[in-house]
Amino acid sequence: MSLADPILIEIVEGTLASVEMEVETAIARTARSPMIRDAHDFRAGIHDVRLRKLTGRSYSALVQPIVRDFPVETMNPGDVFFHNDVYLSEGGIGHLPDLCVTVPVFHDGQVVAFVQAFGHHDDIGGACPGSMPSGARSVFEEGLMVPPIRLWDRGVPNDAALRIMTRNSRMPDSLAGDLDAECSACLMGARRLGELFDRYGREAVEACFDAILAKTTETFRRELLAKIPEGVHVWEDYAEHDGVDEPRLHAQRITLTVDHAAPEPLVIDFTGTSPQAKGPINHAGDYADGVFLKKWLAPILRNLADTPERMAELDVNEGVVPLIKMVFPEKGTLLTPIFPAPTNARTFVILRLLGVLAGVLAKATGGRMPADQETIRYTGVYGHDAAGNDYLMREVLGGGSGGRWYADGEDTIHVVPDSRNIPVEFAEARWPLRVERLGLAVDSGGPGRYRGGLGYDKHIRLLRDASFMSIADRSILSCWGVNGGRAGRPFVVTVNGVEMDGLVDDFPVREGEIVRVRTTGGGGWGSPFDREPLCVADDVRDGKVSLKAAREDYGVVFSAGLDVDEAATEALRAELRVPQEAFFDRGPGFPKLSGGRPHAEVDLRP
């Protein structure tokens, strides 16, 4: 392996980031569906010929399934490969609406890299609009499965395959437009990356790839992993329902073993995770040695950085993979489902795992991790517009992130990087509805020395009869607090005052009725009775905390206006403060579900 020139490393690293951003910008500007164009629920990634992810601003799918089925020597310039089959994606695709295109990069007639994009599309068939049936019992109910195929051959699209896919979609025009945008953007990205190889040569560029990944490996080992004490630490959390069975605790457990002298200093063992669910909350993660999950979970480690500014500088690329070993349970669990187990709501598991890793690291480090945060939930309505055409308004609304050891959680953040809510003006112009309120959900953030972030409070009035749909958890359980912090408020939706289940496909909404969505609040960090009373006063003034919660949750008493009565506050806090607050607080909703392991079996000690 040749040594890379330091200046060239900076050039190559900057070019990779630029190409990735250019691909994503092109997709956002040319796609048709609101989910891709407006909500930005898609990602691009660049991989080398050894299938290693080189960029680290965001996660992406994998190239492994493409190379498995189409060896690089059979690829040609202008080829575009496509797949969305969960069980043939090597763990890179979580559910069928995530469609993935992959384009090889050529230099001197040989494949030298790959540009890839995948995103959540409006509809790929299945039992309900949006291809996410909440009561699905098999993957066959969830839409069209496409194993890796050559969608474009030497620059010529496979029209037959495209016709099959659009014929299976309730939104054929959007699907066709999105696929065209993604294919064209990745082909453009491949040309840009090819120019880098033409300018500097394959050997020099690949030496830079090695250096970029090695730098990530060393940085994570030295700056982050070194802060985790050696030993064995355990934590588990739960999905609360699967859309088929009655609500119960579906456990996801991590046993973390830390040995700084080992080649793989972190061992993440998922033994103890619950059996696969009948409903669609399973995630097929046990493929390719868990390489997708390694890159998915690694961003949590960045919370161990010395400062928030340093944390923001740390990207996650393939360089994190050598530091982590994953141990999966036998086939037939939430993380090792057996085909054809349904997976469309796998966010209940894969996003919960981010919190489980944060929880086990909080125990290991004495609380130097954020409290629990929101997960993705899909809500929306579908029906017919005034012209009689089908429409689907589906939105991924964020929630509050957990309080941190140095600051409050963020309000209404979205776990998927760069994704966002649908703009009100766009929604009202496109669909027969009116958004009557979009603001913060007061008191939703968990009380703490550092308060949990707030969720959304959104009110939608329907202008025509329609059906409401939801794929959401944390509608029973709450985001837990850390180090004496309290749990946040759970997710809740009401339709004309009637509270909905978290998983629903087709609840009727009549013209003039209001759908009210309140997303989850993040957990608090530290005792709320240690929060500065003036900060509580500011929260009340800003409409984030009510007067009632200021008194009951924070023990803050106001005199005239919002002036803090210091003596009364001190007395009330002394009365409310418990002698020893639990390290973790799961909220009043836990445990009240049937079928799960007793709470006492989970070690809550820091």
Side-chain angles (χ1 to χ4, degrees):
M1 181 181 69
S2 60
L3 295 177
D5 177 80
I7 296 176
L8 184 56
I9 293 173
E10 294 292 326
I11 293 172
V12 170
E13 195 167 22
T15 300
L16 293 173
S18 176
V19 170
E20 182 182 67
M21 183 64 72
E22 188 173 3
V23 170
E24 291 194 357
T25 301
I27 292 172
R29 290 175 65 88
T30 57
R32 293 283 300 276
S33 72
M35 188 62 71
I36 300 293
R37 184 187 61 205
D38 300 286
H40 210 268
D41 193 357
F42 71 93
R43 294 293 164 267
I46 299 174
H47 307 253
D48 69 3
V49 73
R50 294 165 60 185
L51 315 184
R52 301 178 300 177
K53 185 173 184 291
L54 302 170
T55 48
R57 187 180 57 82
S58 179
Y59 65 91
S60 63
L62 302 178
V63 181
Q64 278 86 340
I66 304 302
V67 174
R68 179 198 64 212
D69 293 357
F70 297 90
V72 293
E73 58 270 18
T74 68
M75 298 178 179
N76 303 289
D79 284 356
V80 179
F81 299 91
F82 173 91
H83 73 291
N84 78 324
D85 189 317
V86 171
Y87 289 93
L88 293 179
S89 72
E90 300 293 333
I93 296 295
H95 58 182
L96 295 182
D98 282 348
L99 311 184
C100 182
V101 299
T102 306
V103 174
V105 179
F106 282 83
H107 172 71
D108 288 343
Q110 294 183 315
V111 176
V112 291
F114 299 90
V115 177
Q116 190 177 74
F118 88 109
H120 188 120
H121 292 248
D122 274 345
D123 189 275
I124 192 70
C128 72
S131 308
M132 296 181 68
S134 63
R137 291 174 177 259
S138 85
V139 72
F140 297 110
E141 301 172 55
E142 298 178 314
L144 182 68
M145 287 181 287
V146 183
I149 63 171
R150 199 187 309 259
L151 188 61
W152 290 33
D153 187 351
R154 296 178 175 87
V156 179
N158 183 335
D159 289 333
L162 289 167
R163 287 185 65 195
I164 290 170
M165 285 189 278
T166 54
R167 180 61 175 168
N168 276 272
S169 174
R170 298 171 179 83
M171 309 290 168
D173 293 339
S174 290
L175 179 61
D178 289 348
L179 283 174
D180 186 61
E182 290 159 352
C183 292
S184 299
C186 286
L187 286 166
M188 176 271 295
R191 292 193 299 271
R192 296 282 191 272
L193 201 55
E195 294 168 0
L196 181 70
F197 283 89
D198 293 340
R199 181 174 302 168
Y200 298 107
R202 179 172 182 173
E203 183 178 1
V205 172
E206 289 185 339
C208 292
F209 291 169
D210 292 335
I212 290 167
L213 300 185
K215 182 177 71 173
T216 295
T217 304
E218 177 58 24
T219 298
F220 269 67
R221 185 191 296 271
R222 184 183 68 253
E223 294 189 26
L224 306 181
L225 271 58
K227 293 185 172 68
I228 310 173
E230 291 192 336
V232 179
H233 315 278
V234 183
W235 177 247
E236 71 177 28
D237 206 350
Y238 313 94
E240 59 207 23
H241 50 170
D242 73 344
V244 174
D245 283 333
E246 290 298 311
R248 64 183 179 88
L249 300 180
H250 299 265
Q252 295 126 74
R253 172 175 285 204
I254 285 179
T255 299
L256 179 70
T257 302
V258 184
D259 180 357
H260 294 302
E264 298 166 311
L266 295 187
V267 177
I268 297 176
D269 187 343
F270 298 108
T271 301
T273 293
S274 288
Q276 74 182 47
K278 293 178 184 177
I281 66 172
N282 307 290
H283 176 70
D286 59 324
Y287 293 86
D289 295 322
V291 66
F292 176 83
L293 277 181
K294 291 179 183 181
K295 290 178 283 189
W296 172 260
L297 294 176
I300 291 296
L301 297 169
R302 296 184 301 181
N303 288 285
L304 297 170
D306 288 337
T307 65
E309 292 77 16
R310 179 56 177 158
M311 174 183 171
E313 294 172 352
L314 299 176
D315 285 341
V316 176
N317 55 36
E318 205 79 16
V320 304
V321 171
L323 299 171
I324 303 170
K325 178 182 179 180
M326 289 192 164
V327 179
F328 290 94
E330 294 295 320
K331 281 287 189 181
T333 71
L334 292 172
L335 274 176
T336 60
I338 300 170
F339 178 84
T343 65
N344 74 75
R346 95 295 187 206
T347 52
F348 288 27
V349 169
I350 190 171
L351 287 169
R352 183 68 64 248
L353 285 178
L354 293 169
V356 179
L357 182 57
V360 77
L361 287 170
K363 292 178 69 175
T365 62
R368 197 183 165 90
M369 296 297 291
D372 195 28
Q373 69 175 31
E374 67 95 26
T375 57
I376 289 177
R377 84 270 315 137
Y378 301 86
T379 58
V381 293
Y382 62 90
H384 302 285
D385 61 21
N389 299 315
D390 289 334
Y391 78 87
L392 168 64
M393 188 289 286
R394 185 174 54 188
E395 187 168 31
V396 184
L397 278 178
S401 69
R404 298 157 285 184
W405 58 272
Y406 58 87
D408 293 343
E410 299 286 346
D411 301 326
T412 61
I413 62 102
H414 292 247
V415 168
V416 177
D418 295 335
S419 64
R420 59 200 68 144
N421 64 307
I422 300 290
V424 170
E425 298 81 2
F426 173 85
E428 293 182 339
R430 184 178 182 110
W431 298 304
L433 55 84
R434 183 166 65 243
V435 178
E436 299 198 341
R437 172 177 165 78
L438 179 59
L440 297 177
V442 180
D443 291 336
S444 57
R449 177 180 180 183
Y450 297 109
R451 177 182 42 75
L454 275 59
Y456 282 100
D457 184 12
K458 187 167 189 175
H459 301 187
I460 303 169
R461 187 180 297 276
L462 274 296
L463 303 182
R464 296 180 61 84
D465 291 354
S467 296
F468 171 75
M469 64 192 319
S470 172
I471 296 286
D473 68 344
R474 288 297 198 238
S475 61
I476 301 174
L477 305 180
S478 301
C479 294
W480 37 264
V482 167
N483 203 22
R486 306 283 177 78
R489 296 278 182 88
F491 170 83
V492 62
V493 174
T494 60
V495 175
N496 207 38
V498 178
E499 187 168 332
M500 297 289 99
D501 291 331
L503 286 149
V504 58
D505 288 342
D506 54 3
F507 188 86
V509 188
R510 302 305 177 195
E511 178 182 343
E513 293 183 340
I514 290 180
V515 177
R516 180 181 181 182
V517 182
R518 282 175 59 98
T519 62
T520 52
W525 193 100
S527 172
F529 306 124
D530 292 333
R531 186 170 179 81
E532 287 290 337
L534 291 178
C535 292
V536 178
D538 287 340
D539 286 340
V540 174
R541 195 174 291 112
D542 293 339
K544 296 185 175 184
V545 173
S546 67
L547 282 169
K548 182 175 183 289
R551 183 181 184 90
E552 295 180 357
D553 294 336
Y554 291 94
V556 175
V557 180
F558 298 106
S559 53
L562 288 179
D563 293 331
V564 176
D565 186 327
E566 295 183 4
T569 294
E570 185 176 349
L572 180 58
R573 285 184 162 185
E575 176 185 336
L576 295 175
R577 190 186 295 270
V578 295
Q580 183 177 358
E581 293 173 288
F583 188 75
F584 292 98
D585 174 58
R586 292 187 183 269
F590 187 90
K592 68 177 183 181
L593 307 180
S594 61
R597 284 195 293 274
H599 192 197
E601 290 190 17
V602 184
D603 180 9
L604 296 181
R605 293 171 296 176

